């Protein structure tokens, strides 16, 4: 989420309705932990970097895929793992929303906070997978280290695949959220993301995060993309524990 869906999708061009389920399977947390342990970049303790590991989120939401006369809506599983790993330049979030959908974001972490440098979206429908990756230039600021209520910032960036992304963000407030019995102070960002290119679309998102670490505590998103078909989705994800599995 996390660039919120964390990147624009290319819509799968062929949907075999007979194979479509109304609910995607839950992504395996055990597999996520195994994949995290296979990584070879050492974790660090720096401002803007959340502790590395596999975080669990409670999720409510659904996605709708439309191709011609065929329309299918399927709910996201109630729980999903997100792999947070440290890279040489910052961090990477790999959010496995379901067995059929993964959103991956790469971040550059600097003095101002975390900026989204890359994105990858994987969506599977009826055994057919759309896999879209792109780098962003310049990397837009997503999680400022020192947010001030009322602060606004905007970016227009280019994707390596020709996509253009316009982002308008405002720091709208602060809150304290209970995470597994622990009160967590968060800042609230509200953002609108406009994608243009082969799959134009809009994402409206609300992000509750810990400024010191960039840890995403709650994420709400509503998105709509078009292309050779149409994708609409919405979800509300809440972190269940501050202690990631490692």
């Amino acid at each position: 989420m996390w660039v919120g869906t964390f990147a624009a999708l290319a819509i799968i061009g062929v949907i075999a309705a007979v194979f479509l389920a109304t609910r995607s399977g839950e992504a395996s947390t055990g597999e996520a932990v195994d994949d995290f342990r296979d990584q070879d970049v050492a974790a660090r303790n720096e401002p803007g970097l959340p502790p590395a590991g596999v975080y669990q989120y409670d999720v409510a939401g659904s996605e709708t895929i439309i191709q011609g006369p065929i329309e299918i809506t399927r709910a996201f599983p109630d729980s999903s793992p997100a792999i947070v790993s440290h890279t040489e330049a910052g961090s990477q979030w790999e959010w496995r929303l379901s067995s059929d959908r993964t959103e991956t974001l790469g971040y550059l972490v600097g003095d101002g906070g975390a900026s989204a440098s890359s994105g990858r979206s994987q969506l599977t429908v009826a055994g057919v997978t759309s896999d879209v990756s792109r780098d962003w230039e310049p990397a837009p600021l997503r999680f400022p280290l020192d947010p001030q209520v009322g602060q606004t910032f905007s970016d227009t960036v280019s994707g390596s695949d020709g996509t253009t992304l316009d982002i308008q963000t405002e720091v709208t407030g602060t809150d304290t959220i209970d995470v597994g019995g622990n009160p967590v102070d968060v800042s609230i960002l509200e953002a609108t993301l406009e994608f243009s290119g082969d799959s134009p679309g809009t994402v409206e998102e609300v992000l509750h995060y810990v400024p010191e670490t960039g840890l995403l505590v709650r994420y709400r998103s509503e998105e709509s993309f078009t292309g050779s078909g149409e994708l609409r989705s919405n979800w509300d994800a809440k972190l269940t524990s501050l202690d990631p599995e490692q």
Side-chain angles (χ1 to χ4, degrees), residues 56-222:
Q56 203 71 26
Y57 288 83
D58 288 338
V59 179
S62 64
E63 59 187 358
T64 297
I65 304 109
I66 301 172
Q67 177 66 40
I70 300 171
E71 177 175 335
I72 185 68
T73 296
R74 56 189 186 185
F76 289 119
D78 296 335
S79 181
S80 68
I83 304 172
V84 177
S85 53
H86 295 171
T87 64
E88 293 182 0
S91 64
Q92 176 179 281
W93 287 73
E94 183 180 320
W95 201 334
R96 300 181 179 182
L97 281 164
S98 72
S99 58
D100 296 314
R101 184 166 178 181
T102 299
E103 299 289 338
T104 304
L105 264 293
Y107 290 98
L108 303 177
V109 177
D111 293 340
S115 300
S117 58
S118 63
R120 181 183 184 187
S121 294
Q122 297 162 283
L123 174 67
T124 298
V125 180
V128 180
T129 298
S130 169
D131 190 338
V132 178
S133 298
R134 58 173 64 92
D135 296 324
W136 297 112
E137 181 63 39
L141 180 65
R142 301 262 52 213
F143 298 108
L145 268 176
D146 185 26
Q148 302 297 316
V149 175
Q151 175 186 5
T152 62
F153 48 99
S154 61
D155 292 282
T156 299
V157 301
S158 299
S160 54
D161 62 348
T163 299
T164 298
L165 170 60
D166 291 312
I167 306 179
Q168 304 292 328
T169 305
E170 181 177 1
V171 183
T172 58
T174 60
D175 198 0
T176 300
I177 297 179
D178 182 276
V179 179
N182 298 296
V184 180
D185 294 331
V186 298
S187 288
I188 304 171
L189 304 179
E190 296 189 25
T192 299
L193 297 81
E194 297 282 352
F195 296 83
S196 60
D198 292 339
S199 298
T202 301
V203 178
E204 300 283 351
E205 61 182 16
V206 182
L207 308 99
H208 299 67
Y209 78 107
V210 181
E212 296 80 8
T213 64
L215 179 62
L216 191 62
V217 173
R218 185 179 182 184
Y219 176 73
R220 288 179 284 163
S221 171
E222 185 169 340

